[in-house]
Amino acid sequence: MDKILDIRGLCKRYPAFALKDVSFSVEKGQIMGFVGRNGAGKTTTLKAMLNLVHPDAGTVKVFGLEFGGHEDEIKRRIGYAVGGMSYYPRRTVGEILAVTRRFYDSWDEAACRHYLEVFRLDEGKRLRELSEGMKVKFALTMALSHRAELLILDEPTSGLDPVSRDELCDIFRQLAAKGVSILFSTHITSDLEKCADAITYIKGGELVASESREAFIERFAAEIGHRPSFEEIMVHLEKEALTL
Amino acid sequence: MKNLLYKERRLAASPLSYFFLAFSLMTFLPGYPILVGSFFVCLGIFYSFQQARECGDVTYSVLLPVRKRDVVTAKYRFVLEIELAAFLLCAVFTALRMRLLGQAAVYAQNPMLNANLCYLGFILLNFALFNLIFLGGFFKTAYKFGVPFLIYTAAGILLVAAAEVLHHLPGLEGLNAPDRVDAPQLAVFGLGLLVFALGTFLSHSASVRRFERLDL
């Protein structure tokens, strides 16, 4: 299958944290859950993919291209959203769309109208008036309107109610069926059960596993003693003894 | 670049950046350190940076299909637009003041700096300080602007003081002529132009370099 995203040997050292030799890839039309506890290195990895953080070592190839010399081309083909964060809170959906669409030759106005309607987004609403779920849907609308082939989503379901989370997972499934690849970070294991095809698990800046959902579950079935849920795997991997 | 500039004006700019252009009218004030007007223009630009930071403008911009260096260049071009507008307004007001009001007693006996070519040169020097200290300082982190603005303010006060003292020095009285242009005025204007061009170029180059290296 086509590798849409390929990360090899990614390293980044901070005073109190280090990302160590992280490698994984995402294929066309695949939904990959990028999992780990808070502070495990998920956001740093995602930022390195977007050239927002400069890795100390390793390579990031998106659509087979490296950022050096292809920065604008790569960014034209990806969409990015962060749960719990929005830009220009006092600006309206319409104002932000009016500016954003100018940057993309591939902007599909009919698709934009379609997603605004499907997601029930009111163009007259200010960003600060949108709920967290609506903000993620707005980010998706912008990404899909310029026909992004890869969605990089940092905790898109955090802060969402269970219905909105379920709705978002349905959206992911439908987009993947259309060939869009999705990499989304999360620590909410129920989201993985619903929509992830593959899992990349990171712990303390190190890769634990990156494989298909079934292979990932099988890997821990023997250790845990039965076919575990994602929550059981996460607890198994992360639980530390606490002494009060 | 055209689209990034459009984004600067539509999403990132504070209306105060435009409203504060009205401080160019201070060019007409007698008995007042009129160079302060150009400081207020810079304060107006500062508000745009403050608003942009609070709105996550830098992160939004770098995720657009543009090169990181273009994000810096667009900010500089926005600032240059405001500075150019302020400079042109001050130049027109200065020409009006010199041609029509140059002989007025309030200007002829003005102990403070009069509006003339020397004043316009000092405006350019002030903008050069802003571009070097504030813009250059901001792009070291792309979010901390308090200290760069404080340092610029201190440097700006010293510049205003220098402008007000210089024309009182023996032999430099011509710098304060309200209705004519002389060689020392031309020299200050030329110096302002040179420092502005060079300072802005160096500041932009350093900012691009720093911003490329930044982890956002």
Side-chain angles (χ1 to χ4, degrees), chain A:
Chain A
M1 286 182 86
D2 298 344
K3 278 185 184 170
I4 296 295
L5 174 70
D6 191 26
I7 292 170
R8 295 288 135 216
L10 200 67
C11 298
K12 177 73 182 176
R13 182 167 289 281
Y14 291 105
F17 170 77
L19 202 61
K20 297 165 207 153
D21 197 22
V22 171
S23 302
F24 64 93
S25 57
V26 179
E27 290 163 2
K28 187 172 168 63
Q30 189 178 49
I31 304 176
M32 177 172 279
F34 190 33
V35 198
R37 288 185 77 174
N38 293 328
K42 301 190 294 291
T43 299
T44 304
T45 308
L46 296 186
K47 283 186 167 181
M49 287 175 207
L50 294 158
N51 202 28
L52 299 181
V53 160
H54 300 83
D56 298 328
T59 57
V60 176
K61 281 189 179 175
V62 189
F63 311 115
L65 305 168
E66 292 196 46
F67 262 91
H70 302 281
E71 185 173 357
D72 42 355
E73 187 185 340
I74 290 173
K75 287 197 264 184
R76 201 168 283 126
R77 295 170 66 187
I78 59 179
Y80 179 71
V82 184
M85 179 184 163
S86 70
Y87 312 112
Y88 311 113
R90 290 171 193 276
R91 303 290 182 190
T92 64
V93 166
E95 281 175 312
I96 295 175
L97 282 175
V99 172
T100 307
R101 66 164 63 98
R102 298 169 72 101
F103 288 87
Y104 297 94
D105 299 334
S106 57
W107 188 270
D108 183 341
E109 192 56 32
C112 180
R113 299 280 130 214
H114 170 72
Y115 287 112
L116 284 173
E117 201 179 311
V118 170
F119 296 151
R120 296 190 188 93
L121 280 160
D122 177 354
E123 279 194 82
K125 272 206 169 181
R126 294 180 194 282
L127 266 279
R128 65 177 176 179
E129 293 165 348
L130 299 182
S131 66
E132 292 307 317
M134 292 305 263
K135 283 177 189 166
V136 174
K137 286 175 184 171
F138 178 50
L140 287 175
T141 299
M142 290 206 287
L144 299 171
S145 299
H146 67 78
R147 299 193 188 119
E149 298 157 59
L150 169 66
L151 299 179
I152 297 175
L153 310 170
D154 192 3
E155 311 227 353
T157 54
S158 74
L160 300 196
D161 61 72
V163 180
S164 300
R165 289 217 311 273
D166 192 62
E167 216 172 53
L168 206 58
C169 288
D170 285 344
I171 293 167
F172 287 177
R173 286 254 64 99
Q174 291 182 43
L175 292 175
K178 290 181 180 180
V180 177
S181 308
I182 300 171
L183 174 68
F184 74 103
S185 72
T186 187
H187 55 264
I188 303 171
T189 51
S190 58
D191 298 340
L192 302 172
E193 315 268 3
K194 283 174 198 150
C195 61
D197 300 319
I199 307 290
T200 292
Y201 198 105
I202 188 169
K203 180 183 177 185
E206 290 183 77
L207 194 77
V208 174
S210 182
E211 54 204 359
S212 73
R213 168 200 173 107
E214 276 312 305
F216 184 74
I217 292 171
E218 285 305 314
R219 174 192 286 260
F220 295 99
E223 283 179 40
I224 296 173
H226 59 274
R227 183 181 165 84
S229 65
F230 285 112
E231 185 168 340
E232 284 174 308
I233 295 172
M234 196 162 181
V235 171
H236 171 74
L237 281 169
E238 305 281 358
K239 193 169 182 183
E240 291 167 9
L242 282 178
T243 311
L244 296 177

Side-chain angles (χ1 to χ4, degrees), chain B residues 95-133:
Chain B
L96 285 174
R97 187 174 142 166
M98 289 178 79
R99 297 278 297 198
L100 306 177
L101 303 163
Q103 302 293 331
V106 283
Y107 296 141
Q109 293 153 22
N110 186 10
M112 312 300 275
L113 181 68
N114 273 315
N116 54 25
L117 214 50
C118 170
Y119 162 65
L120 295 176
F122 270 107
I123 289 177
L124 289 172
L125 285 172
N126 184 35
F127 289 159
L129 284 179
F130 182 77
N131 297 351
L132 269 169
I133 300 171

Side-chain angles (χ1 to χ4, degrees), chain B residues 62-139:
Chain B
V62 294
L63 289 168
L64 289 168
V66 294
R67 295 172 304 169
K68 269 175 93 178
R69 59 178 297 127
D70 294 337
V71 173
V72 178
T73 304
K75 287 267 178 227
Y76 270 76
R77 284 188 57 171
F78 170 73
V79 171
L80 287 174
E81 273 185 6
I82 300 286
E83 288 174 345
L84 181 67
F87 179 79
L88 289 177
L89 283 171
C90 289
V92 169
F93 296 153
T94 298
L96 285 174
R97 187 174 142 166
M98 289 178 79
R99 297 278 297 198
L100 306 177
L101 303 163
Q103 302 293 331
V106 283
Y107 296 141
Q109 293 153 22
N110 186 10
M112 312 300 275
L113 181 68
N114 273 315
N116 54 25
L117 214 50
C118 170
Y119 162 65
L120 295 176
F122 270 107
I123 289 177
L124 289 172
L125 285 172
N126 184 35
F127 289 159
L129 284 179
F130 182 77
N131 297 351
L132 269 169
I133 300 171
F134 178 74
L135 294 184
F138 173 75
F139 280 106

